Amino acid sequence: MSHARQVSITSKLTRMNMLVCATALSLACLGFLSYDLATYRQVTLDNLSIQSQVTGSNSVSALVFDDPVSAQRTLSSLEFAPNILSACIYTPDGKPFATYRRSPNISIPAKLAISPGEKERHWYNHENIFLVHAISFQGKPAGFTYVQSNIQPLIDRVENYLAIAGVMLILSLSLALFLSRIARRSIAEPIQRLANVARRVSKDKEYSTRAEPGREEGELAELVGTFNEMLAQIETRDRSLEAAREKLEEHVEQRTAELSAANKELEAFSYSVSHDLRAPLRSIEGFSLALAEDYDDKLDGEAKSHLSRIRAATTRMGVLIDDLLNLARVTRAELHREPINLSSIASSIAEDLRKANPERQIEFCVQERLETVGDGRLLRVVLENLLGNAWKYTSKHAWARIQFAKKRLNDEEAYFVTDDGAGFDPAFAGRLFGAFQRLHGMDEFPGTGVGLATVQRIIHRHGGRVWAEGAVEKGATFYFTL
Ligand SMILES: Nc1ncnc2c1ncn2[C@@H]1O[C@H](COP(=O)(O)OP(=O)(O)OP(=O)(O)O)[C@@H](O)[C@H]1O
Ligand SMILES: [Mg+2]
């Protein structure tokens, strides 16, 4: 494409030059030729007219005195006019009186008439011109002369003209070709040079390249200058963009480092808090057990009820601390990526759930061969939570269906666990993933509310997203990507 353009600019210049030159020359030649021919023809005609007038006047007396021999003699003098092929003197009634032929095969009209009052008449055929001129004596018609002249000189002249014009045309076209070479050097070449640089810049994205200013002046020099200026602007913009990007990267790095330090600190803090809470809790647990066992006979009904509440609350707190420790562990544990089969993990979890509550009527559908790469231990925790929730939140229904599969959403592949259980108010879908956030009461469905928070952390650590859809009593679906 670009090569075609290069070729066309030079060849266009050449073609234009040649065309202008040829047109101008042809027009000039045509003008000269027509003018010259018209003039030449008029001169020939005038000469012929004079010759026939002279012949006519010299033959008047011969006509009047009926002396054809003398007329014949007059006509013979036409021998010295090489263009005259034949001539004839006619009597007033149109009969030949005396004739002259340059060669014997030339024919002369046997009868010729001239209308009364007409002085002269001429006509042409393709190689001759004919002229008839009236002869009068004392105001009365005495006859007329007829002259035939060939127009070969005219034809020769045209031919010479055309030959000269042809030679001139060839000469000027060669000159034009030569001149267009010079034009190419001064116009097309700088443009081609510029096009080459532009192509190189657009291919290599190397904006420090510049077009070499040549010897050209005017618009071409301006074009090269402006092009270089544009490159300079792009280069400056590029540099400042690069600098801004570097600065931004630095910022992001710094912020990330700060954030991860704060995060680590927080995790360490929550881990040690949960850990440290265990010791006093164990002591409360131990002493309340001792109180219940050792003082069973001394405590009345109300005291015993208080004590059992204390013990239930302690157990629950123990579970909470365990969950918190697990959550902290999930974040601290290192990720071991390996190829895993999510289908078989889900099936084994379903098996465990079934064993724990064999009386429940649950249809489990697990899509086969859902293979991916990730931390097998952590992704098992994810599926345990999601399938466990599905199991738990369908428990109020006599029959339920739970499915684990994968589907394409927009431009990503998402895994999902769906059930047709209690569901939730979709307005709170975003809150589910916060630690200790629960949408159902303890008496309705037991739990601590850390399950989904754990799921979210694990998915985030895998670089994925997790979100939920659901409606009250219409079931819930939890999607995640990896
Ligand atoms: N499959 C589900 N159907 C309906 N609601 C659900 C479902 N899964 C989770 N939820 C809602 O989201 C809340 C948070 O779930 P999450 O798993 O974090 O806590 P939990 O199940 O209550 O307790 P645990 O920490 O023992 O898992 C639940 O209390 C419940 O209200
Ligand atoms: Mg749960």
Side-chain angles (χ1 to χ4, degrees):
M1 173 78 189
S2 53
H3 184 68
R5 217 179 283 150
Q6 265 179 39
V7 168
S8 84
I9 196 167
T10 42
S11 73
K12 254 186 208 162
L13 271 175
T14 312
R15 237 179 283 160
M16 223 154 64
N17 263 348
M18 310 278 272
L19 195 72
V20 168
C21 180
T23 317
L25 199 72
S26 309
L27 279 177
C29 281
L30 199 74
F32 277 128
L33 187 66
S34 348
Y35 175 73
D36 188 79
L37 283 185
T39 318
Y40 188 78
R41 209 187 67 170
Q42 196 52 52
V43 169
T44 312
L45 207 61
D46 289 350
N47 282 342
L48 209 59
S49 170
I50 290 165
Q51 269 167 338
S52 58
Q53 271 177 55
V54 170
T55 311
S57 349
N58 289 345
S59 313
V60 173
S61 53
L63 272 168
V64 172
F65 297 107
D66 194 17
D67 179 6
V69 178
S70 153
Q72 194 67 49
R73 229 184 356 259
T74 309
L75 283 184
S76 331
S77 66
L78 289 174
E79 233 174 280
F80 303 105
N83 58 321
I84 298 204
L85 298 181
S86 70
C88 182
I89 294 170
Y90 286 88
T91 54
D93 53 357
K95 285 197 187 109
F97 180 68
T99 56
Y100 161 78
R101 287 182 176 83
R102 184 165 289 274
S103 62
N105 54 346
I106 299 176
S107 66
I108 289 176
K111 192 157 170 68
L112 204 64
I114 188 164
S115 19
E118 192 179 21
K119 285 218 84 158
E120 195 176 276
R121 172 156 56 99
H122 70 268
W123 67 95
Y124 296 89
N125 71 10
H126 57 281
E127 48 192 16
N128 297 298
I129 173 169
F130 305 92
L131 190 125
V132 177
H133 189 86
I135 307 169
S136 53
F137 180 66
Q138 293 177 345
K140 282 191 202 130
F144 48 90
T145 53
Y146 156 90
V147 193
Q148 173 191 5
S149 162
N150 77 358
I151 49 170
Q152 195 52 47
L154 196 69
I155 293 169
D156 289 349
R157 209 176 164 87
V158 172
E159 278 172 5
N160 285 347
Y161 244 113
L162 287 180
I164 290 171
V167 170
M168 287 310 285
L169 199 67
I170 288 168
L171 279 179
S172 4
L173 287 184
S174 322
L175 191 68
L177 199 67
F178 173 70
L179 287 179
S180 72
R181 283 254 166 83
I182 296 176
R184 185 163 66 197
R185 215 172 302 143
S186 66
I187 299 174
E189 271 177 20
I191 294 179
Q192 278 177 7
R193 231 175 32 237
L194 203 63
N196 284 341
V197 175
R199 206 175 312 121
R200 224 171 42 233
V201 168
S202 105
K203 191 170 144 243
D204 305 342
K205 309 271 174 289
E206 187 49 74
Y207 297 108
S208 55
T209 315
R210 294 287 179 273
E212 295 248 337
R215 275 174 301 149
E216 55 272 357
E217 288 167 354
E219 287 96 332
L220 280 174
E222 206 178 311
L223 193 65
V224 173
T226 318
F227 180 72
N228 282 343
E229 223 168 84
M230 243 158 58
L231 282 179
Q233 279 174 14
I234 294 178
E235 201 189 355
T236 321
R237 214 164 294 172
D238 240 25
R239 274 215 203 105
S240 50
L241 231 105
E242 180 64 17
R245 198 181 59 81
E246 267 167 24
K247 209 170 183 183
L248 204 79
E249 245 168 40
E250 231 170 73
H251 260 296
V252 170
E253 243 167 56
Q254 197 181 334
R255 282 287 142 79
T256 316
E258 279 170 17
L259 250 154
S260 72
N263 232 352
K264 280 227 173 80
E265 224 167 87
L266 214 70
E267 276 161 20
F269 174 73
S270 78
Y271 186 79
S272 61
V273 166
S274 329
H275 199 263
D276 294 351
L277 282 177
R278 280 208 147 283
L281 194 67
R282 251 198 307 276
S283 148
I284 297 171
E285 224 167 17
F287 282 111
S288 50
L289 180 66
L291 206 59
E293 284 174 0
D294 301 348
Y295 296 88
D296 188 47
D297 46 343
K298 291 190 186 119
L299 292 173
D300 62 9
E302 205 182 346
K304 276 183 192 163
S305 145
H306 287 342
L307 198 58
S308 84
R309 281 192 181 201
I310 291 173
R311 292 199 55 213
T314 322
T315 313
R316 178 152 170 72
M317 195 160 170
V319 173
L320 276 174
I321 290 172
D322 278 347
D323 284 351
L324 261 179
L325 276 171
N326 279 337
L327 189 63
R329 257 184 224 125
V330 161
T331 345
R332 292 154 73 95
E334 221 175 284
L335 219 56
H336 294 292
R337 287 187 187 270
E338 57 194 341
I340 46 164
N341 186 335
L342 290 176
S343 304
S344 59
I345 297 178
S347 300
S348 93
I349 295 169
E351 209 46 51
D352 292 347
L353 288 169
R354 244 194 251 286
K355 270 189 205 142
N357 297 78
E359 75 289 350
R360 287 197 57 192
Q361 299 275 325
I362 302 277
E363 185 195 346
F364 250 115
C365 301
V366 175
Q367 186 179 329
E368 273 181 43
R369 281 207 296 281
L370 294 179
E371 278 148 2
T372 183
V373 172
D375 188 312
R377 202 176 54 81
L378 292 181
L379 289 177
R380 173 174 262 279
V381 174
V382 166
L383 287 178
E384 269 169 4
N385 271 295
L386 295 179
L387 292 169
N389 278 351
W391 185 270
K392 177 161 65 177
Y393 294 99
T394 50
S395 61
K396 296 276 191 303
H397 292 188
W399 187 91
R401 183 174 187 276
I402 296 171
Q403 186 194 6
F404 171 56
K406 181 167 91 166
K407 73 170 157 190
R408 175 154 279 281
L409 290 173
N410 300 324
D411 54 352
E412 55 183 354
E413 298 269 348
Y415 298 94
F416 65 95
V417 173
T418 184
D419 66 67
D420 51 4
F424 56 83
D425 183 347
F428 303 115
R431 280 204 351 214
L432 301 180
F433 299 95
F436 304 117
Q437 295 286 343
R438 305 201 67 229
L439 296 184
H440 295 89
M442 233 353 231
D443 41 344
E444 209 184 345
F445 297 101
T448 47
V450 224
L452 287 181
T454 313
V455 167
Q456 191 182 45
R457 285 203 188 175
I458 294 174
I459 298 299
H460 282 179
R461 290 203 61 193
H462 278 82
R465 294 190 304 126
V466 57
W467 68 101
E469 281 171 9
V472 176
E473 278 311 318
K474 293 236 170 72
T477 305
F478 288 83
Y479 294 96
F480 66 89
T481 61
L482 290 174

